[in-house]
Coordinates of all heavy atoms in Angstrom, one line a residue:
M171 N -4.4 46.3 13.3 CA -4.8 45.5 14.5 C -5.7 46.3 15.3 O -5.5 47.5 15.6 CB -3.5 45.1 15.3 CG -3.9 44.4 16.6 SD -2.4 44.1 17.6 CE -1.6 42.8 16.6
L172 N -6.8 45.6 15.8 CA -7.8 46.2 16.7 C -7.9 45.3 17.9 O -8.1 44.1 17.8 CB -9.2 46.3 16.0 CG -10.3 47.0 16.7 CD1 -9.9 48.5 16.7 CD2 -11.6 46.8 16.1
V173 N -7.6 45.9 19.1 CA -7.6 45.1 20.3 C -8.7 45.6 21.2 O -8.8 46.8 21.6 CB -6.3 45.3 21.1 CG1 -6.3 44.5 22.4 CG2 -5.1 44.8 20.2
L174 N -9.7 44.7 21.6 CA -10.7 45.0 22.6 C -10.1 44.7 24.0 O -9.7 43.6 24.2 CB -11.9 44.2 22.3 CG -13.0 44.2 23.4 CD1 -13.6 45.6 23.6 CD2 -14.1 43.2 23.2
V175 N -10.1 45.7 24.8 CA -9.6 45.6 26.2 C -10.8 45.5 27.1 O -11.6 46.4 27.2 CB -8.7 46.8 26.6 CG1 -8.2 46.6 28.0 CG2 -7.6 47.0 25.6
Y176 N -11.0 44.4 27.9 CA -12.1 44.3 28.8 C -11.7 43.5 30.0 O -10.6 43.1 30.2 CB -13.3 43.6 28.0 CG -13.1 42.2 27.7 CD1 -13.6 41.1 28.5 CD2 -12.5 41.8 26.5 CE1 -13.4 39.8 28.1 CE2 -12.3 40.5 26.1 CZ -12.8 39.5 26.9 OH -12.6 38.1 26.6
N177 N -12.7 43.4 30.9 CA -12.5 42.7 32.2 C -11.5 43.5 33.0 O -10.6 42.9 33.7 CB -12.1 41.3 32.1 CG -12.3 40.5 33.4 OD1 -13.4 40.4 33.9 ND2 -11.3 39.9 33.9
V178 N -11.6 44.8 33.0 CA -10.7 45.7 33.7 C -11.1 46.0 35.1 O -12.2 46.5 35.3 CB -10.4 47.0 32.9 CG1 -9.4 47.9 33.6 CG2 -10.0 46.7 31.5
G179 N -10.3 45.7 36.1 CA -10.6 46.0 37.5 C -10.3 47.4 37.9 O -9.9 48.3 37.1
G180 N -10.4 47.7 39.2 CA -10.0 49.1 39.7 C -11.0 50.1 39.2 O -12.2 49.9 39.3
V181 N -10.5 51.2 38.6 CA -11.4 52.2 38.1 C -12.3 51.7 37.0 O -13.4 52.2 36.8 CB -10.6 53.5 37.7 CG1 -11.5 54.5 37.0 CG2 -9.9 54.1 38.9
G182 N -11.7 50.8 36.2 CA -12.5 50.1 35.2 C -12.4 50.7 33.8 O -12.4 49.9 32.8
N183 N -12.5 52.0 33.6 CA -12.5 52.5 32.2 C -11.1 52.9 31.8 O -10.4 53.6 32.5 CB -13.5 53.7 32.1 CG -13.2 54.8 33.1 OD1 -12.9 54.6 34.2 ND2 -13.3 56.1 32.6
V184 N -10.7 52.4 30.6 CA -9.4 52.6 30.1 C -9.3 53.9 29.3 O -10.1 54.2 28.5 CB -9.0 51.4 29.2 CG1 -7.7 51.6 28.5 CG2 -9.0 50.1 30.0
V185 N -8.2 54.6 29.5 CA -8.0 55.9 28.8 C -6.7 55.9 27.9 O -6.5 56.8 27.1 CB -7.9 57.1 29.7 CG1 -9.3 57.3 30.5 CG2 -6.8 57.0 30.7
D186 N -5.9 54.8 28.1 CA -4.7 54.8 27.2 C -4.2 53.3 27.2 O -4.2 52.6 28.2 CB -3.6 55.7 27.8 CG -2.4 55.7 26.9 OD1 -2.4 56.5 25.9 OD2 -1.3 55.1 27.2
V187 N -3.7 52.9 26.0 CA -3.2 51.6 25.8 C -1.9 51.7 24.9 O -1.9 52.4 23.9 CB -4.2 50.6 25.1 CG1 -3.6 49.3 24.8 CG2 -5.5 50.5 25.9
K188 N -0.9 51.0 25.3 CA 0.3 50.9 24.5 C 0.6 49.4 24.3 O 0.3 48.6 25.1 CB 1.5 51.6 25.2 CG 1.4 53.1 25.3 CD 2.6 53.7 26.0 CE 2.5 55.2 26.1 NZ 1.4 55.7 26.8
I189 N 1.2 49.1 23.1 CA 1.5 47.7 22.8 C 3.0 47.6 22.4 O 3.6 48.6 21.8 CB 0.6 47.2 21.6 CG1 0.8 45.7 21.4 CG2 0.9 48.0 20.3 CD1 -0.3 45.2 20.4
K190 N 3.6 46.5 22.6 CA 5.0 46.3 22.3 C 5.2 44.9 21.8 O 4.8 43.9 22.4 CB 5.9 46.5 23.6 CG 7.4 46.3 23.3 CD 8.1 46.5 24.6 CE 9.6 46.4 24.4 NZ 10.1 45.1 23.8
G191 N 5.8 44.8 20.6 CA 6.2 43.6 20.0 C 7.6 43.2 20.6 O 8.3 44.0 21.0
S192 N 7.9 41.9 20.5 CA 9.2 41.5 20.9 C 10.4 42.1 20.2 O 11.5 42.1 20.6 CB 9.3 39.9 20.9 OG 8.9 39.4 19.6
N193 N 10.1 42.7 19.0 CA 11.1 43.3 18.2 C 10.9 44.8 18.0 O 11.5 45.5 17.1 CB 11.1 42.7 16.8 CG 11.5 41.2 16.8 OD1 12.3 40.8 17.7 ND2 10.9 40.4 15.9
T194 N 10.0 45.4 18.8 CA 9.7 46.8 18.7 C 9.8 47.5 20.1 O 9.9 46.9 21.1 CB 8.3 47.1 18.2 OG1 7.3 46.8 19.2 CG2 8.0 46.3 17.0
N195 N 9.8 48.8 20.0 CA 9.6 49.6 21.3 C 8.1 49.7 21.6 O 7.3 49.2 20.8 CB 10.2 51.0 21.1 CG 11.8 51.0 20.9 OD1 12.4 50.2 21.6 ND2 12.3 51.8 20.0
W196 N 7.8 50.4 22.6 CA 6.4 50.6 23.0 C 5.7 51.5 21.9 O 6.2 52.5 21.5 CB 6.2 51.3 24.3 CG 6.5 50.3 25.4 CD1 7.6 50.2 26.2 CD2 5.6 49.3 25.9 NE1 7.5 49.2 27.1 CE2 6.3 48.6 27.0 CE3 4.3 48.9 25.6 CZ2 5.7 47.6 27.6 CZ3 3.8 47.8 26.3 CH2 4.5 47.2 27.3
I197 N 4.5 51.1 21.5 CA 3.8 51.7 20.4 C 2.5 52.3 21.0 O 1.7 51.6 21.6 CB 3.5 50.8 19.3 CG1 4.7 50.2 18.7 CG2 2.6 51.4 18.2 CD1 4.5 48.9 17.8
Q198 N 2.2 53.6 20.8 CA 1.0 54.2 21.2 C -0.2 53.7 20.4 O -0.2 53.8 19.1 CB 1.1 55.7 21.2 CG -0.2 56.4 21.6 CD -0.4 56.2 23.1 OE1 0.4 56.5 23.9 NE2 -1.6 55.7 23.4

Side-chain angles (χ1 to χ4, degrees):
M171 177 186 287
L172 189 69
V173 179
L174 171 64
V175 183
Y176 68 95
N177 199 55
V178 181
V181 174
N183 56 318
V184 175
V185 297
D186 187 77
V187 178
K188 293 179 176 64
I189 189 171
K190 182 183 183 301
S192 50
N193 298 324
T194 73
N195 294 319
W196 286 102
I197 300 163
Q198 179 66 57

